[in-house]
């Protein structure tokens, strides 16, 4: 019926089979006029509304600019419009023109009216669409229009050749329409070409330069052609970060984070509500149960029931409770709002998800077209009677299907990988943001190491899983489709194979959870080791910590080995699966009935379907494994991100109160349910006052500061603060940035104010000493500043900020007494630059108390007294007793004010002779850069002027000043992965293993080829026994051999995987211990020039690579290599002339590969390198949280984090694209081969990985290489057991510099220290006091001269021997997480009694005895849960435990109050009376009783005599003593 109507509409026959059943087929004209016209037009009409919408938008893109390209396009369409009108005119003319006789001819059929009208409408639409595209912001071309032109040209090719044939036979009846068709075809073709060109607006040109993707046309986008320039640049020279393009707006961290947070907040809110409801339910249930139990008991007793029944009841209840406990255990895991993360991720990224799902679906459907075409192809070759054109058609169809499949597949992958990248970014940004507001309880639960792990490992897990998330539905879909098609081929015998398959789906157990735990533990210890490395070296404790890490690593590897064995079992099952399944299916098929003979088309179609099956079946368990791992990560992330935030209502800003700071009867605790540390606290501080807070160690002074900052839990009342805050913590927090940036801390730079602050904070002399002046880069944690300098920078940061209220947590303890006095006078005191601001000063220095407005005395967390100095003296309370114990203050009162002013002037002469270039004590020092990197930076001649830094220094920017740049850029290998890298990995695996693995895989491959050859031989039987019955012996033999080969294959894969698992665990162990060994033996300066983040990155990311990625890629590399060789062999056997094609293809493949590998490798390295700063910045932020929060700079740090992540994404995104760029090009190569052998295409795609595998190896091994040169192990003669007996010290013309190329720090020191002498060492900051001790421990080696201890030159003995025999109480008390006992005695050498004895001597016994676990009390990371004073006492206990003959005190009492100071001094006098003691002092009182005092200045000894004599000389020492308020009379202190 329909056909008849069409016949009438066209005026000719619509369809007749005879048209195509001949040698030169053609389509009927009617089909060409209807269907082939409707397809492209229908497509355009469907898509047009989308473009027309943008014509009516308010916000329009470019409305003024008309490009030449745009005008050309519009012109062509206008011409086409005219041709359509002409066609209509021709028809009208023929039908109604004057030339016609009135009745002579029939009218033209309807199609001649309809088509021109359709085209007229269409061309108007196209004109409007072009305008719509032009107005759309950011659009450079239109995909729909390109596809429309393409369809149009393709559909018009059929009438094109029909008309051409007619013309060649000279049968043209209709000249006007003939010429109109060819004119319009030409115009359409030109339009197609023009529509593939991008039309970039002039204002977008700049942006396109920085990001070519923004200006890429549709064709360039689907083939990733826009990426060519990057590939070529990468091929010519190694890429660097500066070559990276800008990110698209939608890929930037800020954008992703914004949308993620937008969805996260409501989800998290709901989850919290759910969680609270659950908690309530649980509580009420428990209560009900307990009540029921109680009631049962009491009523039972009342009624006098026999005891037995009661016993029974109780037993029952107990068992219930046990059961309940078990249940609780299951439940208690979820003590946080859960199951909101996945939905948030889904909602944030659902569009990309849906888009990629659509592409995946198309790819899957197309993948089933190929086996069907293959089947047709095989039957075509067998059926000699079919027309030749059918074969060509199939070949072309195969190619088209393959091309479409490649395009869709790459689009799918591109979207998935970008999605993975975005998810990772969103999680990293969220974790960072959360870390800034997280409450103290939540913070306690995870250490810095673990939080960094959330950012690195867990975010990466999500990244990996989202890459393949669609396999969840696509695998089952593919399996179902394969089964349907197989059923069509082989009938019910498929079910047999299916059973085998279901049976083989392995039930794998995953060990991931366990492994994450070990990894966390390992990274946590590594983090601590790196933070406290100096202490480890001073105490020679590295072996103990190394053993700890090795132990954890051991258990990690055990789990890995188990995991590897399981994986190999599953691999075995999977590699057997296709063979076994096809074996069973074919066997059943042949056995069922003698009529079933295996034909070639059946066999090979089935095999290609089985191969499609292989992928989803292998992927599903992998995916499930990845999901399990991600579930662990999800838990951890939900717990962290769902944790409580700091309460922001503790600190209020109520302007009605007329105080600057007020607390009314508040109680504060560190945790919600803990005992309050500060009880019933009331404080009122008037604006502009200076208030001192005093009290003994542990009385809650620092906690008071935290309470004012709102960091503590407030059980009642609140804190009211008017104005902004500045905070100086007790332990200065210094950023890895320039000195200037550390002080500006995000404020705008005002030179005058800056200089004023520098002068007031006594930093001017230090700036002279620092090589780069204020632009010197400070290392992580302020490594190249001495303790005093850090504290002054921290104070300068506060002074520079225009805050109203200053919280100063004991900033004066870490500096020398005269500097302290200077700081008090110039900054904090009544005449300082902060004199009109409110200042709260925690202090131990009594000298300052007379000058403060008010004093708050704390005892055990309670304010015992408040008042002015005089009032408190008079009241004779706790404070006055506290003072009376120190006679010195009377002297202070008598000192006249005028004297007070002269003190400043006296500071100056002492400073003049400091030579501007001698680096301060542990200053630049520590800037040690490796020589080669200095050379490198000189070559680049770059100074990193920070973006907000002023550019006044540009004149000398070309010359890098010595020591200005501290942290080098991470060195990065460039160029090809060295072959030695592969060898090194193989060596670590063991050569035996490596060779065996290869051989085993080779045999497996031979079996695989054998199986296929046997199968093709078997299918030959169908011709041989075409009309006779198939002999059963032959059948059995065929099936048997086929099966045997299949099983052999599986078996060898199993053996190979097992061997490889063992080998890779071996390699992992060796490489990790090598890395650890090197890190532990590297000279000190390595740690000062290398950010911790970078080293941790090695232990996290790169070890992860060695553990998991490399064995995988090694295996796939071997398999691919053998697979390709095998395939080529088979194809050449089948069609020998194919060998000719191999060479050009191999060359093409090689070139693309070469191009790609160079780029991809560098991008990978850039990714790894740009990742370290993310973690470094993160751990820095976590350690400086209180400071960042106090200044309210969270936003600035968030932005910085976004920038850092963006820098990383800039290399991740191109890497993703580079993979697609390559894949699409290689698949095109492969698709061309499809003509020769479809098989080859499949494998060339898999063999991609060969060149890349090296990358991850190179990175991980690169580490071991970089560190290899650092490990200098020299065997030294060992000193005798008892050395040093006497403890005599002798310096002979001792000179030292921190590294070649820097100036001397100590200029020829010569002196003798007799046995048991007590020496005090003094000198202003930077005089070389600490350098002297560093030399004794050989943290820095001598340039000239030597040190003798008991007549043995210390440079001739081993470092551990030397360091074990000396004892130091260092300046910063560093503790490690672990038990108290481990912190005192990591090697377990001493008995508990010894330890209790030293705790008693160091006045900690009561404190430790009062702890629940006693010596096993867990110390938090960095000793966070002890006060600084207590940490200092623990360090004293360490020294007491070692009992060596030489003791060095490095400003050991800087952080404790005077009382504790006294205790320590007494203990030292008593316990170390038989030792030689060197004391570096800030407080001169502590060394007034030494036998001699050494005064250092600029690395020389300027005075060396007994204190009394020095005071008479009126030299350096006298001036210092006078500042400190000590005179002749005061010597008896």
């Amino acid at each position: 019926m329909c056909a008849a109507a069409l016949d009438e509409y066209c005026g000719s026959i619509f369809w007749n089979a005879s048209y195509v059943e001949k040698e030169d087929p053609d389509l009927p004209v009617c089909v060409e006029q209807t269907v082939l016209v409707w397809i492209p037009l229908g497509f355009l009409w469907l898509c047009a509304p989308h473009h027309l919408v943008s014509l009516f938008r308010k916000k329009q893109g470019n409305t003024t600019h008309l490009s030449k390209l745009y005008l050309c396009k519009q012109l062509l369409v206008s011409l086409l419009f005219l041709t359509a009108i002409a066609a209509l005119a021709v028809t009208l003319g023929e039908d109604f023109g004057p030339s016609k006789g009135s009745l002579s001819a029939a009218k033209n059929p309807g199609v001649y009216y309809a088509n021109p009208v359709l085209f007229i409408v269409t061309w108007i639409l196209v004109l409007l669409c072009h305008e719509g595209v032009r107005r759309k912001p950011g659009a450079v071309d239109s995909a729909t229009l390109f596809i429309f032109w393409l369809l149009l040209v393709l559909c018009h090719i059929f009438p094109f050749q029909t008309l051409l044939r007619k013309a060649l036979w000279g049968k043209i009846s209709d000249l006007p329409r003939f010429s109109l068709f060819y004119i319009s075809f030409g115009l359409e073709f030109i339009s197609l070409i023009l529509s593939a060109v991008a039309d970039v607006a002039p204002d977008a040109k700049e942006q396109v330069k920085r990001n070519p993707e923004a200006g890429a046309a549709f064709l360039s986008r689907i083939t990733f052609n826009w990426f060519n320039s990057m590939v070529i640049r990468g091929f010519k020279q190694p890429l660097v970060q500066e070559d990276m393009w800008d990110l698209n707006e939608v890929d930037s961290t800020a954008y992703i984070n914004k949308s993620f947070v937008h969805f996260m907040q409501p989800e998290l809110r709901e989850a919290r509500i759910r969680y609270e409801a659950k908690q309530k339910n649980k509580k009420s249930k428990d209560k009900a149960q307990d009540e029921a139990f109680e009631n049962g008991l009491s009523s039972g007793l009342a009624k006098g029931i026999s005891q037995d029944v009661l016993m029974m009841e109780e037993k029952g209840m107990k068992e219930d409770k046990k059961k309940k406990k078990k249940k609780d255990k299951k439940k208690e895991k979820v003590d946080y709002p859960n199951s909101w993360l996945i939905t948030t991720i889904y909602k944030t990224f659902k569009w990309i998800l849906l888009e990629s799902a659509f592409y995946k679906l198309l790819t899957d459907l197309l993948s089933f077209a190929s086996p069907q075409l293959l089947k047709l192809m095989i039957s075509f070759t067998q059926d000699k009677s079919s027309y030749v054109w059918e074969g060509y058609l199939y070949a072309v169809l195969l190619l088209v299907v393959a091309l479409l499949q490649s395009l869709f597949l790459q689009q799918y992958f591109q979207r998935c990988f970008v999605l993975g990248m975005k998810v990772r970014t969103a999680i990293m940004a969220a974790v960072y943001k959360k870390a800034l507001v997280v409450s103290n309880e939540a913070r306690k639960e995870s250490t810095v190491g673990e939080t960094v792990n959330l950012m690195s490992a867990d975010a990466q897990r999500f990244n990996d899983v989202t890459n393949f998330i669609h396999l969840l539905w696509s695998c089952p879909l593919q399996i179902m489709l394969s089964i349907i098609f197989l059923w069509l081929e082989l009938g019910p015998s498929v079910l047999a194979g299916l059973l085998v398959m279901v049976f083989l789906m392995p039930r794998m157990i995953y060990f991931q959870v366990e492994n994450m735990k070990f990894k966390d533990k390992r990274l946590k210890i590594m983090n601590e080791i790196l933070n406290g490395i100096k202490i480890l070296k001073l105490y020679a404790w590295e072996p103990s910590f190394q053993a700890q890490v090795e132990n954890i690593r051991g258990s990690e590897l055990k789990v890995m080995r188990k995991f590897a064995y399981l994986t190999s079992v599953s691999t075995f099952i999977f590699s057997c699966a296709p063979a076994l399944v096809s074996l069973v299916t074919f066997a059943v098929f042949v056995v069922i009935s003698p009529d079933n003979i295996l034909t070639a088309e059946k066999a090979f179609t089935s095999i290609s379907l089985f191969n499609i099956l292989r992928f989803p079946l292998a992927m599903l368990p992998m995916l499930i494994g990845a999901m399990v791992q991600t579930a662990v990560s999800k838990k951890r992330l939900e717990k962290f991100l769902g944790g409580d935030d700091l309460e922001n209502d503790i600190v209020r800003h109520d302007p009605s109160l007329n105080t600057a700071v007020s607390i009314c009867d508040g109680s504060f605790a560190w945790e919600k349910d803990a005992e309050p540390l500060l009880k019933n606290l009331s404080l009122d501080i008037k604006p502009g006052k200076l208030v001192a807070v005093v009290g003994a160690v542990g009385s809650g002074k620092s906690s008071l500061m935290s309470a004012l900052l709102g960091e503590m839990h407030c059980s009642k009342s609140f804190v009211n603060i008017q104005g902004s805050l500045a905070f100086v913590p007790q332990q200065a927090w210094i950023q890895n940035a320039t000195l200037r940036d550390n002080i500006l801390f995000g404020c705008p730079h005002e030179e005058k104010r800056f200089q004023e602050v520098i002068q007031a904070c006594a930093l001017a002399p230090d700036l002279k000493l620092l090589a780069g002046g204020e632009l010197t880069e400070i290392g992580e944690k302020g490594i190249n500043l001495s303790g005093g300098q850090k504290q002054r920078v921290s104070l300068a940061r506060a002074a520079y900020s225009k805050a109203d209220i200053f919280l100063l947590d004991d900033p004066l303890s870490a500096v020398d007494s005269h500097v302290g006095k200077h700081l008090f006078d110039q900054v904090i005191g009544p005449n300082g630059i902060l004199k009109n601001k409110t200042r709260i000063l925690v202090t131990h220095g009594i000298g300052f108390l007379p000058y403060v407005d008010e004093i708050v005395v704390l005892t055990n967390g309670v304010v015992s007294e408040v008042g002015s100095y005089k009032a408190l003296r008079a009241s004779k309370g706790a404070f006055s007793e506290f003072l009376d114990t120190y006679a010195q203050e009377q002297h202070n009162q008598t000192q006249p004010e005028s004297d007070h002013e002269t003190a400043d002037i006296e500071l100056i002469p002492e400073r003049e002779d400091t030579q501007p270039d001698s680096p301060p004590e542990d200053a630049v020092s520590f800037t040690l850069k490796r020589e080669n990197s200095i050379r490198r930076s000189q070559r680049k001649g770059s100074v990193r002027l920070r973006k907000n830094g002023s550019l006044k220094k540009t004149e000398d920017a070309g010359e890098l000043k010595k020591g200005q740049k501290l942290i080098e850029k991470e060195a990065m290998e460039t160029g090809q992965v060295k072959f030695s890298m592969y060898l090194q990995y193989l060596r670590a695996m063991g050569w035996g293993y490596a060779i065996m693995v290869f051989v085993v895989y080779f045999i497996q491959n031979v079996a695989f080829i054998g199986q296929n050859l046997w199968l093709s031989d078997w299918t030959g039987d169908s011709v041989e026994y075409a009309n006779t019955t198939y002999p059963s012996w032959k059948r059995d033999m065929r099936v048997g051999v086929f099966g045997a080969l299949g099983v052999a294959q599986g078996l060898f894969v199993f053996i190979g995987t097992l061997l490889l698992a063992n080998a890779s665990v071996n390699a992992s162990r060796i490489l990790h211990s090598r890395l650890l060994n090197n890190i532990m033996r590297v000279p000190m300066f390595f740690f000062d020039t290398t950010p911790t983040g970078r080293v941790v990155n090695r232990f996290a990311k790169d070890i992860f690579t060695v553990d998991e990625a490399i064995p995988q890629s090694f295996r796939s590399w071997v398999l691919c290599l053998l697979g390709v060789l095998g395939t080529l062999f088979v194809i050449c056997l089948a069609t020998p002339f194919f060998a000719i094609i191999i060479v050009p293809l191999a060359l093409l493949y090689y070139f693309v590969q070469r191009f790609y590998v160079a780029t991809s490798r560098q991008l990978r390295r850039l990714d790894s390198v740009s990742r370290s700063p993310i973690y470094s910045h993160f751990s820095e932020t976590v350690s400086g949280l209180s400071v960042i929060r106090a200044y309210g700079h969270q936003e600035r740090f968030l932005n910085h984090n976004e920038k850092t992540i963006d820098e990383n994404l800039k290399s991740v995104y191109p890497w993703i694209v580079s993979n697609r760029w390559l894949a699409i090009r290689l698949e095109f190569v492969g698709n061309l081969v499809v003509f020769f052998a479809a098989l080859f295409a499949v494998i060339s795609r898999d063999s991609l990985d060969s060149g890349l595998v090296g990358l991850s190896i190179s990175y991980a091994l690169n580490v071991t290489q970089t560190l290899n040169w650092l490990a200098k192990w020299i065997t030294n003669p060992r000193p005798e057991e008892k050395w040093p007996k006497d403890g005599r010290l002798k310096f002979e013309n001792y000179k030292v510099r921190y590294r070649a190329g820097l100036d001397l720090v100590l200029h020829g020191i010569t002196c003798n220290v007799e046995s048991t002498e007590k020496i005090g060492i003094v000198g202003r900051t930077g005089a070389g006091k600490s350098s002297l001790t560093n030399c004794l421990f050989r943290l820095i080696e001598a340039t000239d001269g030597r040190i003798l201890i008991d007549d043995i030159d210390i440079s001739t003995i081993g470092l551990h021997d030397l360091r074990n025999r000396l004892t130091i109480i260092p300046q910063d008390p560093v503790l490690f997480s672990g038990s108290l006992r481990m912190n005192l005695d990591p090697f377990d050498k001493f008995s508990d009694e010894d330890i209790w004895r030293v705790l008693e001597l160091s006045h900690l016994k009561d404190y430790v005895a009062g702890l629940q676990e006693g010596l096993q009390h867990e110390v938090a990371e960095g000793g966070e849960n002890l006060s600084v004073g207590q940490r200092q006492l623990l360090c004293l206990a360490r020294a007491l435990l070692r009992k060596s003959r030489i003791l060095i005190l490095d400003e050991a009492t800087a952080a404790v109050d005077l009382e504790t100071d006294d205790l320590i001094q007494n203990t030292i006098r008593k316990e170390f009376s038989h030792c030689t003691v060197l004391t570096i002092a800030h407080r001169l009182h502590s060394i007034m009783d030494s036998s001699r005092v050494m005064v250092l200045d600029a690395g020389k000894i300027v005075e060396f005599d007994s204190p009394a004599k020095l005071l008479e000389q009126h030299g350096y020492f006298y001036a210092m003593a006078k500042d400190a308020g000590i005179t002749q009379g005061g010597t008896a202190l």
Side-chain angles (χ1 to χ4, degrees), residues 154 171 257 281 320 327 464 511 564 661 1073 1154 1175 1266 1473 1518:
L154 287 178
K171 285 194 209 163
N257 191 26
N281 278 351
D320 283 358
K327 261 193 196 155
D464 297 342
F511 289 99
V661 176
S1073 58
R1154 266 300 294 278
Y1175 308 144
T1266 339
S1473 55
Y1518 174 74

Side-chain angles (χ1 to χ4, degrees), residues 412-485:
Y412 154 72
F413 272 138
Q414 167 74 358
R415 289 199 173 42
C416 277
F417 278 97
V418 169
L419 173 67
M421 173 186 94
K422 286 185 170 180
V423 170
R424 190 189 115 210
T425 307
I427 288 173
M428 282 165 94
V431 168
Y432 187 89
K433 193 167 184 177
K434 181 69 184 181
L436 283 175
V437 295
V438 73
S439 70
N440 279 304
E441 286 112 288
R443 211 173 127 195
K444 276 223 175 82
E445 278 175 16
S446 46
T447 59
V448 180
E450 286 170 320
T451 8
V452 173
N453 230 359
L454 286 175
M455 255 185 140
S456 54
D458 294 327
Q460 191 56 41
R461 280 268 145 75
F462 267 94
N463 182 350
D464 297 342
V465 112
T466 36
N467 288 348
F468 301 110
I469 197 72
H470 290 303
L471 297 181
L472 274 181
W473 58 264
S474 137
C475 285
L477 175 80
Q478 282 177 311
I479 292 172
M480 266 169 49
L481 286 172
S482 319
I483 288 164
I484 293 169
F485 281 118

Side-chain angles (χ1 to χ4, degrees), residues 526-568:
M526 279 315 303
N527 224 341
E528 299 209 314
I529 288 179
L530 296 172
N531 290 341
I533 190 82
K534 189 168 172 187
I535 300 298
L536 290 187
K537 287 198 178 306
L538 290 174
Y539 284 110
W541 277 3
E542 302 103 323
S544 156
F545 279 81
Q546 197 169 339
Q548 283 185 46
V549 179
E550 292 278 13
N551 280 342
I552 297 173
R553 179 71 178 158
S555 26
E556 199 179 352
L557 288 175
K558 241 190 222 137
V559 175
M560 253 178 63
R561 180 166 274 154
K562 271 191 214 157
F563 190 58
Y565 285 167
L566 273 179
T567 328
S568 54

Side-chain angles (χ1 to χ4, degrees), residues 1106-1157:
V1106 170
D1107 286 352
E1108 300 186 20
I1110 297 181
Q1112 282 289 326
S1113 23
F1114 180 73
R1115 193 176 126 243
S1116 52
W1117 182 74
V1118 170
L1119 287 176
C1120 291
L1121 179 72
L1122 293 171
V1124 171
L1125 293 175
T1127 310
L1128 291 177
F1129 173 71
V1130 172
I1131 296 177
C1132 291
L1133 261 183
T1135 50
F1137 74 88
F1138 179 78
I1140 310 163
I1141 302 269
I1142 290 182
V1143 179
L1145 275 178
L1147 276 175
L1148 212 141
Y1149 175 79
Y1150 173 75
F1151 275 116
V1152 174
Q1153 181 85 317
R1154 266 300 294 278
F1155 256 91
Y1156 160 76
V1157 168

Side-chain angles (χ1 to χ4, degrees), residues 424 428 449 452-461 463-464 467 516 519-520 522-524 526 530 553 556 560 970 985 1068 1071-1072 1075 1092-1111 1113 1160-1176 1208 1211-1212 1215 1252-1253 1255-1264:
R424 190 189 115 210
M428 282 165 94
V452 173
N453 230 359
L454 286 175
M455 255 185 140
S456 54
D458 294 327
Q460 191 56 41
R461 280 268 145 75
N463 182 350
D464 297 342
N467 288 348
M516 284 304 283
K519 192 165 166 187
D520 269 357
R522 192 183 88 228
L523 285 185
K524 180 175 151 192
M526 279 315 303
L530 296 172
R553 179 71 178 158
E556 199 179 352
M560 253 178 63
E970 187 157 353
Y985 186 74
S1068 282
L1071 291 173
H1072 177 270
L1075 178 61
T1092 328
R1094 195 179 297 170
V1095 183
V1096 172
N1097 200 4
R1098 292 294 150 274
F1099 279 96
K1101 183 87 173 46
D1102 297 340
I1103 286 292
F1104 176 75
T1105 311
V1106 170
D1107 286 352
E1108 300 186 20
I1110 297 181
S1113 23
S1160 162
R1161 200 174 35 219
Q1162 271 322 90
L1163 287 171
R1164 253 338 215 179
R1165 288 177 176 153
L1166 282 172
D1167 166 30
S1168 201
V1169 169
S1170 59
R1171 228 170 247 216
S1172 303
I1174 302 179
Y1175 308 144
S1176 282
N1208 177 240
S1211 53
V1212 177
W1215 179 74
L1252 312 180
V1253 179
L1255 178 63
S1256 39
I1257 301 189
S1258 90
Y1259 215 103
L1261 291 181
N1262 173 14
V1263 181
T1264 35

